[in-house]
């Protein structure tokens, strides 16, 4: 695997929109849960359907960290601040709480987005 792959819930409109955004603006490929092959599935955690995952040659990032690292690769201006944010104590836990908040409220958030 030379370029990273973002694995996401392709039954979720918000997830699909976010994955396509990343795909258009980076070198990251996307694969929905429904299209996983055995090689990718083996690299994922057992409960992989809980959240998105970014698979690289060396690592698998999950949930909020997966989306953060995927957005970082888009090169958009806010991504430059991410390495500094990661050094702030408690940032990782806050990022994961924010991810979970969005994940648990997808129907509502989906209705609010254009």
């Amino acid at each position: 695997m030379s370029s990273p792959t973002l694995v996401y819930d392709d039954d979720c409109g918000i997830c699909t929109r976010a994955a396509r955004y990343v795909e258009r603006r980076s070198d990251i490929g996307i694969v929905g849960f429904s299209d996983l092959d055995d090689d990718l599935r083996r690299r994922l955690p057992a409960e992989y359907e809980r959240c998105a995952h970014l698979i690289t040659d060396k690592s698998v990032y999950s949930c909020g960290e997966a989306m953060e690292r995927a957005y970082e690769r888009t090169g958009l201006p806010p991504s430059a601040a991410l390495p500094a944010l990661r050094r702030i104590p408690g940032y990782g836990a806050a990022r994961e709480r924010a991810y979970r908040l969005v994940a648990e409220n997808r129907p509502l958030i989906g209705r609010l987005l254009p």
Side-chain angles (χ1 to χ4, degrees), residues 12-15 17 102-114:
C12 166
I14 293 172
C15 306
R17 187 181 293 182
V102 171
E104 291 170 359
N105 292 285
R106 292 184 296 186
L108 173 64
I109 293 169
R111 285 194 305 268
L112 297 174
L113 294 175

Side-chain angles (χ1 to χ4, degrees), residues 67-69 71-73 77-87 91:
M67 293 310 300
E68 174 187 289
R69 290 186 181 269
Y71 284 131
E72 183 177 25
R73 292 182 74 116
S79 66
L82 293 172
L85 286 174
R86 288 185 194 116
R87 291 192 297 271
Y91 169 75

Side-chain angles (χ1 to χ4, degrees), residues 24-95:
R24 284 190 308 270
R25 289 167 177 81
S26 72
D27 64 338
I28 296 173
I30 62 172
V31 175
F33 290 161
S34 65
D35 293 323
L36 281 174
D37 63 25
D38 290 338
D39 291 334
L40 281 175
R41 192 173 282 114
R42 275 192 287 276
R43 297 209 46 209
L44 294 171
E47 296 180 7
Y48 71 87
E49 292 178 313
R50 281 192 72 234
C51 62
H53 307 276
L54 181 65
I55 301 174
T56 68
D57 285 335
K58 297 180 181 181
S59 300
V60 176
Y61 303 99
S62 297
C63 305
E65 186 175 21
M67 293 310 300
E68 174 187 289
R69 290 186 181 269
Y71 284 131
E72 183 177 25
R73 292 182 74 116
T74 67
L76 295 173
S79 66
L82 293 172
L85 286 174
R86 288 185 194 116
R87 291 192 297 271
I88 297 172
Y91 169 75
R95 176 195 61 223

Side-chain angles (χ1 to χ4, degrees), residues 9-25:
D9 181 356
D10 50 350
D11 280 336
C12 166
I14 293 172
C15 306
T16 299
R17 187 181 293 182
R20 288 183 180 157
Y21 178 89
V22 166
E23 181 184 41
R24 284 190 308 270
R25 289 167 177 81

